[in-house]
Amino acid sequence: MKRKHISDALEHLDPAYIDEATGFVSRIRLYKRPYFRLIAIAACLIVCFSVLLVTNIVDRQTPPIDTPPTTTVTTTVGSAEESTTSTEAVTTEMSTTTAATTTQIVTVPDATTTSTAKATTTSRKIYKSTAKKTTTTSSMITIGIPKATTVKDGVVMPTSETTAASEITTTTTTKIYKSTAKESTTTSETTTATSTAVNMGDPVIQTTVTGGITTTTKVKRTVNHTTTTRYGDPSTTVRDPNVPTTTTASKRPPTRPNGAFGELEFRTDLRLQIDKQEYQEGDVITVTIENTTEETLEIDPWSIFMASQTADGEWNRGWTSLTAYWTSHRLAPGEIATTRVALAPSSWKWKAEEKWAIVCCVGEDWVRSETFSVYPSSETTSASLKPTMSK
Amino acid sequence: MDSLNDNRIIDLFFERSEQAITELSGAYGVLCNNIAFHILGNAQDAEECVNDAYLGVWNTVPPKRPNPLRSYVCRIVRNLAIKQYHHNTAQKRNSVYDVALDELENCFPSSDSVEGAFDAAQAARCINAFLATLSRENRVLFVRRYWHADSIDDLAALFQTSNHNISVRLSRIRAKLNNYLIQEGVFL
């Protein structure tokens, strides 16, 4: 009694716990899976590579300087009328180019000097792979008669030399850099091979391309279809692929409790045909049903039972054979379907005096075969007994 | 992924397709056979139970749409196997399930009177509450031993440990269960 209570109590365990236990995989087995090791190795490699990248100093390309930096100093004698200092910035994609020019005009009153004007320009250019325009300008204004001066520490020192005024001209340089990238075109031709699975009777299409001309040839090919039949297998028919088949859902069989069928009413206009009335344990029963009615019948494929008849005429459900499949589930008038039911050894303990029948559902009705006996393997059927020759 | 597969199988049942049984057998056939075999100890009886369970699923789906499907099928198989087990129990007592029930029987304190005994549903609530107090591994160990009726060898292989280790862990869990049931005043 206590054991039954415990057994019943265990039936009401939380389904979440049952699901957790059913799907459980131990951590050790989880970590032994090969892809965990691969992931760990890949992660180590990624870390090492990133460390190498960070510690390496990658030099960026510095732009070449086409001219040494120079400064421009202009000195004038007399009154300075104008001075300009301009700084022009040229912005490129990656960096800024600044071309700075400075014009200094120095006024030296009351002095006869010679001036030596030196024109210098400062430029810095950055060369990129994309076309860019860099402009360097410098401008000077000459006012008066420049005289030579010596500039020391920002202070103009008069000298005794005289020179002719010289003029400093404006220079503008423009350089345009073109991309050195060259356009390239790559063409490739790929040929795709296609294959088509061939079923029995299918036409096969062959396509050939010769000299640019495509030729399509249809070839009919027959494939031999081989089926291996095992003990207890139902008989099968080869379906004609040219005949379209339709599949319809079969109706649910009438609900019956497990164990007892009780009083069953069977159709009298339909009967399952069996080949013998006595079988041995381990035999295979060939069951046939013929639609002798004028309507199309729907047979439930899963409701092939063995039922035993009690002394008072009631039926008990024996067991279900899920290896038995009807060859056809929709029977037109006059059509026949077959199946095979294997009387495999089991713990049912066959008794020769028991009466059995094959039962199945057709629509909402029950149909059965004639009753038959099943002899256990320790006994022999009357049909298998051979007469002894008397001398 | 499992739930996608389950939904596909249930859809096949709704379409009343024969492929539903094949897919169900392919997904959970081995598990169901193991459960039935552990309880009944006989391969043919186990196969019959599994076949009956498939029919049970066919008859109840639709309209039911069980989620998760795995534990639904396992429950049906287990119930059928236990019914068959009770039918066989007068003749033989050597299945794994027998041994597991023997172990668990001593965990449950006995009542002095029939009136004081708890019914199965109340005992089940207490067992569920006890399982919530266990660690995940211990809980899985308990359920697989006493619900799935896995053998000690199977559990040792599952947890990648020795048989002795499993036996010791189970005896400790049973001792905890016994203390818990006494505290809760559950008697059978």
Side-chain angles (χ1 to χ4, degrees):
Chain A
M1 188 63 175
K2 194 176 177 183
R3 288 164 68 89
K4 186 159 191 332
H5 271 86
I6 295 170
S7 175
D8 291 341
L10 288 172
E11 279 183 28
H12 293 90
L13 274 190
D14 192 340
Y17 293 152
I18 297 166
D19 200 50
E20 179 191 44
T22 312
F24 177 77
V25 177
S26 74
R27 258 178 290 140
I28 297 167
R29 190 178 288 180
L30 207 60
Y31 294 144
K32 279 188 178 173
R33 289 184 183 170
Y35 55 78
F36 269 93
R37 292 185 194 169
L38 292 173
I39 291 169
I41 291 168
C44 288
L45 286 174
I46 290 169
V47 167
C48 292
F49 188 63
S50 346
V51 167
L52 280 172
L53 267 180
V54 167
T55 54
N56 266 338
I57 299 171
V58 180
D59 287 328
R60 288 192 174 190
Q61 273 195 338
T62 55
I65 302 170
D66 55 350
T67 58
T70 54
T71 54
T72 304
V73 175
T74 305
T75 58
T76 56
V77 176
S79 58
E81 290 183 55
E82 189 174 343
S83 69
T84 59
T85 302
S86 67
T87 302
E88 184 183 339
V90 175
T91 304
T92 62
E93 272 187 3
M94 290 174 62
S95 66
T96 302
T97 302
T98 304
T101 57
T102 307
T103 305
Q104 265 185 333
I105 301 172
V106 178
T107 305
V108 181
D110 301 325
T112 304
T113 60
T114 56
S115 67
T116 305
K118 293 180 184 176
T120 59
T121 56
T122 303
S123 67
R124 190 176 182 84
K125 297 186 183 77
I126 296 174
Y127 298 96
K128 303 297 170 190
S129 62
T130 57
K132 291 292 167 189
K133 181 176 173 180
T134 307
T135 306
T136 306
T137 60
S138 63
S139 60
M140 299 277 184
I141 299 173
T142 305
I143 302 170
I145 301 170
K147 295 194 178 167
T149 58
T150 303
V151 178
K152 185 179 177 182
D153 296 331
V155 178
V156 178
M157 309 300 290
T159 64
S160 60
E161 294 178 79
T162 58
T163 58
S166 66
E167 200 170 301
I168 298 171
T169 58
T170 302
T171 61
T172 303
T173 59
T174 303
K175 291 186 182 178
I176 297 174
Y177 301 98
K178 288 186 182 176
S179 168
T180 58
K182 290 184 182 176
E183 184 181 341
S184 65
T185 305
T186 306
T187 58
S188 63
E189 199 174 312
T190 58
T191 306
T192 305
T194 58
S195 63
T196 310
V198 177
N199 294 316
M200 180 170 68
D202 278 355
V204 173
I205 300 172
Q206 287 182 337
T207 306
T208 55
V209 178
T210 307
I213 301 170
T214 303
T215 307
T216 302
T217 309
K218 290 188 180 180
V219 175
K220 188 152 183 177
R221 185 181 296 169
T222 304
V223 175
N224 289 326
H225 185 73
T226 307
T227 306
T228 302
T229 309
R230 296 168 300 174
Y231 175 78
D233 277 354
S235 59
T236 57
T237 54
V238 177
R239 185 175 60 82
D240 183 352
N242 296 320
V243 175
T245 58
T246 54
T247 304
T248 54
S250 55
K251 292 180 188 172
R252 289 179 59 195
T255 304
R256 288 288 183 267
N258 284 339
F261 270 147
E263 289 183 10
L264 279 185
E265 288 186 11
F266 296 98
R267 284 180 73 151
T268 54
D269 57 339
L270 280 177
R271 188 58 76 97
L272 302 179
Q273 303 296 330
I274 54 176
D275 47 358
K276 289 192 286 189
Q277 288 187 329
E278 288 179 346
Y279 293 91
Q280 196 83 35
E281 182 180 340
D283 281 351
V284 174
I285 305 174
T286 302
V287 189
T288 308
I289 181 169
E290 182 181 358
N291 185 1
T292 53
T293 68
E294 292 181 354
E295 56 182 8
T296 300
L297 300 177
E298 284 197 17
I299 309 176
D300 191 292
W302 299 107
S303 63
I304 302 172
F305 306 108
M306 282 273 296
S308 62
Q309 192 175 30
T310 61
D312 48 3
E314 292 199 348
W315 292 90
N316 279 330
R317 203 198 82 175
W319 46 272
T320 309
S321 172
L322 287 183
T323 58
Y325 300 90
W326 288 108
T327 51
S328 180
H329 306 144
R330 286 193 95 230
L331 287 183
E335 201 174 334
I336 295 173
T338 60
T339 187
R340 288 154 62 94
V341 175
L343 297 174
S346 73
S347 64
W348 290 107
K349 294 186 177 47
W350 301 104
K351 293 176 188 170
E353 60 271 20
E354 280 181 338
K355 291 295 172 190
W356 292 87
I358 306 288
V359 178
C360 79
C361 295
V362 176
E364 294 285 326
D365 303 315
W366 294 100
V367 178
R368 72 170 178 89
S369 67
E370 294 289 343
T371 56
F372 57 89
S373 303
V374 181
Y375 285 78
S377 53
S378 55
E379 297 179 36
T380 52
T381 65
S382 57
S384 64
L385 290 174
K386 294 180 183 175
T388 54
M389 296 292 290
S390 58
K391 293 186 182 176
Chain B
M1 182 77 154
D2 278 346
S3 63
L4 279 173
N5 200 31
D6 284 355
N7 285 335
R8 194 169 63 84
I9 293 173
I10 291 170
D11 288 340
L12 287 171
F13 273 99
F14 270 73
E15 291 166 13
R16 309 313 280 171
S17 165
E18 299 157 22
Q19 191 67 15
I21 299 290
T22 310
E23 292 289 326
L24 185 66
S25 174
Y28 303 120
V30 173
L31 174 64
C32 293
N33 262 305
N34 282 345
I35 292 173
F37 183 77
H38 285 153
I39 293 173
L40 294 168
N42 179 286
Q44 285 82 15
D45 286 350
E47 189 183 337
E48 288 301 322
C49 274
V50 170
N51 280 347
D52 286 346
Y54 292 158
L55 180 66
V57 176
W58 177 266
N59 285 337
T60 53
V61 178
K64 279 191 183 178
R65 200 173 187 98
N67 184 21
L69 181 61
R70 177 171 53 195
S71 55
Y72 181 78
V73 176
C74 289
R75 270 180 178 276
I76 296 178
V77 168
R78 187 176 182 277
N79 290 342
L80 290 171
I82 288 174
K83 278 185 189 167
Q84 188 65 31
Y85 163 79
H86 288 312
H87 182 264
N88 294 344
T89 205
Q91 297 145 17
K92 322 179 192 182
R93 288 180 56 156
N94 61 357
S95 71
V96 176
Y97 185 63
D98 255 319
V99 175
L101 274 189
D102 279 341
E103 288 174 11
L104 214 50
E105 196 176 4
N106 300 326
C107 264
F108 284 78
S110 298
S111 169
D112 294 334
S113 65
V114 173
E115 291 78 18
F118 272 52
D119 65 8
Q122 288 170 310
R125 275 195 290 276
C126 285
I127 294 175
N128 282 326
F130 167 72
L131 289 176
T133 65
L134 296 179
S135 68
R136 182 173 174 249
E137 284 207 353
N138 282 344
R139 184 166 54 240
V140 168
L141 186 59
F142 181 93
V143 173
R144 289 208 73 128
R145 175 66 177 157
Y146 300 115
W147 194 90
H148 283 254
D150 282 354
S151 66
I152 299 290
D153 290 339
D154 292 340
L155 291 171
L158 176 68
F159 286 89
Q160 301 278 293
T161 183
S162 64
N163 288 12
H164 177 70
N165 183 277
I166 294 293
S167 301
V168 167
R169 284 173 74 174
L170 280 171
S171 68
R172 286 177 186 164
I173 294 171
R174 288 196 300 271
K176 272 190 197 173
L177 174 61
N178 182 247
N179 290 337
Y180 184 86
L181 293 171
I182 290 171
Q183 275 179 358
E184 296 293 317
V186 175
F187 300 96
L188 286 183

